[in-house]
Amino acid sequence: MAAKTLKNYLEKIDAGEAINLRAFQKLIASISSFDGFAESDLQSVKKGAHTYILSYIDPEKLAFLHHYAESQGEDRVSGAMQNNSHAFKVNGSLLLIQKYQNNPDVLIFKDDGRIPKYKTNKSALILENRELFIHSDKTFKFLSEHYQITEDMRKDIDVIFGAGTEITNSLHLPFLSLYNTLYLCLDLDLGGIKTATSLINNLPSSMEIHFVIPNDVESRLKQVIDKCSPEYMQKVYNLDENMPQALLPCIRIIKKHNTILEQEAYLYGY
């Protein structure tokens, strides 16, 4: 149960504002200790296609919901007191980072804002996929054949496991800002574009940030049988405005082929 969402609904109800009644009832149905609303417990006035103003709500049940929402805590620590810590983000983060011919190091980021002590190279390669990180030797071999990162450059590049969107955690930004150049080796899809956009928009503009597009990517996309749905492609077309310039080639390629590519495919032929 999302206590914050429940609080937002209750604030709107108290203020006489319209809410999505169906979504509200679905939310409170997840509260095991709440027996729901009888027909006489609610009176509402329709305002929109899915929104209603609650002109009456049973006072005892409304009081229960207020008490429940407040009891769930404001952060992970207080939430844990009610077995609800999962509703709040962790007060810290981890990054796996690897130097050439070394085992990965684990960097711990806490919410005090301190940057972990680590001697960085000038450049870093962020890999979204665990498989590419584990087999970084194969990844670099592929990049040396199909991208501007050569085998000789490998010893001067830190390899960071991005774990999807986790790399965009605000706790990581001061550390990532230590690099002069970032290579973003992400999935060629909306998720990868979203991750790259967040990093580009939140890291110093003086940094060189490259979205890795291998020179054989079009050949690979031609082999993908499943095409994107019209709904997915509409989201791609909606990206054009105000997008970072570094991502426009990626968007154009997806539009051209009407399909996407997971980066794990880079480890294999086609």
Side-chain angles (χ1 to χ4, degrees), residues 199-241:
L199 291 173
I200 292 171
N201 288 341
N202 290 289
L203 289 171
S205 59
S206 58
M207 291 183 68
E208 285 188 36
I209 302 180
H210 305 276
F211 192 103
V212 173
I213 302 179
N215 60 19
D216 68 342
V217 70
E218 297 211 46
S219 299
R220 291 175 178 274
L221 286 170
K222 288 178 182 177
Q223 304 302 314
V224 178
I225 296 174
D226 290 335
K227 300 299 181 182
C228 297
S229 68
E231 293 78 15
Y232 191 97
M233 289 306 301
Q234 186 58 55
K235 292 178 181 179
V236 175
Y237 278 93
N238 291 341
L239 290 174
D240 278 350
E241 293 186 18

Side-chain angles (χ1 to χ4, degrees), residues 1-249:
M1 142 67 66
K4 185 176 181 180
T5 303
L6 177 58
K7 288 181 182 180
N8 290 338
Y9 275 120
L10 295 176
E11 287 173 2
K12 289 183 177 181
I13 292 171
D14 292 341
E17 299 177 9
I19 65 167
N20 185 321
L21 183 55
R22 183 177 181 181
F24 173 65
Q25 291 181 316
K26 183 177 180 180
L27 179 69
I28 62 177
S30 64
I31 305 175
S32 59
S33 54
F34 186 67
D35 57 4
F37 290 110
E39 186 174 345
S40 60
D41 292 335
L42 286 177
Q43 293 179 14
S44 61
V45 178
K46 190 171 184 177
K47 296 297 291 184
H50 303 288
T51 58
Y52 295 78
I53 291 176
L54 298 188
S55 56
Y56 172 79
I57 182 170
D58 182 271
E60 290 188 7
K61 293 193 173 182
L62 180 60
F64 173 89
L65 291 175
H66 273 291
H67 176 73
Y68 180 86
E70 294 299 328
S71 72
Q72 298 307 295
E74 296 290 341
D75 53 30
R76 192 171 180 89
V77 175
S78 57
M81 303 302 290
Q82 295 294 329
N83 300 321
N84 193 43
S85 64
H86 61 276
F88 304 93
K89 69 177 183 179
V90 176
N91 298 322
S93 182
L94 302 174
L95 273 187
L96 287 176
I97 183 168
Q98 184 181 34
K99 290 191 179 298
Y100 179 56
Q101 293 186 333
N102 287 351
N103 287 324
D105 294 302
V106 180
L107 301 191
I108 298 177
F109 296 80
K110 299 181 180 179
D111 58 1
D112 57 10
R114 297 180 186 178
I115 301 177
K117 291 184 178 180
Y118 188 82
K119 187 176 181 181
T120 62
N121 279 308
K122 291 183 178 181
S123 302
L125 171 68
I126 295 177
L127 299 174
E128 178 178 354
N129 183 278
R130 189 186 308 273
E131 190 81 5
L132 269 72
F133 183 80
I134 292 173
H135 299 286
S136 59
D137 53 338
K138 292 183 180 180
T139 301
F140 270 99
K141 185 177 187 302
F142 171 80
L143 293 175
S144 70
E145 295 172 352
H146 299 286
Y147 191 65
Q148 63 194 45
I149 296 177
T150 66
E151 288 277 9
D152 292 338
M153 294 168 61
R154 182 177 179 183
K155 62 182 181 298
D156 299 317
I157 297 178
D158 294 337
V159 183
I160 300 173
F161 177 45
T165 60
E166 288 184 26
I167 190 64
T168 63
N169 189 316
S170 59
L171 296 177
H172 302 155
L173 297 178
F175 175 77
L176 294 177
S177 298
L178 298 176
Y179 292 100
N180 295 335
T181 305
L182 285 182
Y183 298 97
L184 308 181
C185 189
L186 312 173
D187 289 341
L188 192 69
D189 64 3
L190 283 172
I193 293 172
K194 179 181 178 181
T195 298
T197 299
S198 178
L199 291 173
I200 292 171
N201 288 341
N202 290 289
L203 289 171
S205 59
S206 58
M207 291 183 68
E208 285 188 36
I209 302 180
H210 305 276
F211 192 103
V212 173
I213 302 179
N215 60 19
D216 68 342
V217 70
E218 297 211 46
S219 299
R220 291 175 178 274
L221 286 170
K222 288 178 182 177
Q223 304 302 314
V224 178
I225 296 174
D226 290 335
K227 300 299 181 182
C228 297
S229 68
E231 293 78 15
Y232 191 97
M233 289 306 301
Q234 186 58 55
K235 292 178 181 179
V236 175
Y237 278 93
N238 291 341
L239 290 174
D240 278 350
E241 293 186 18
N242 303 317
M243 287 298 296
Q245 291 293 311
L247 302 181
L248 295 182

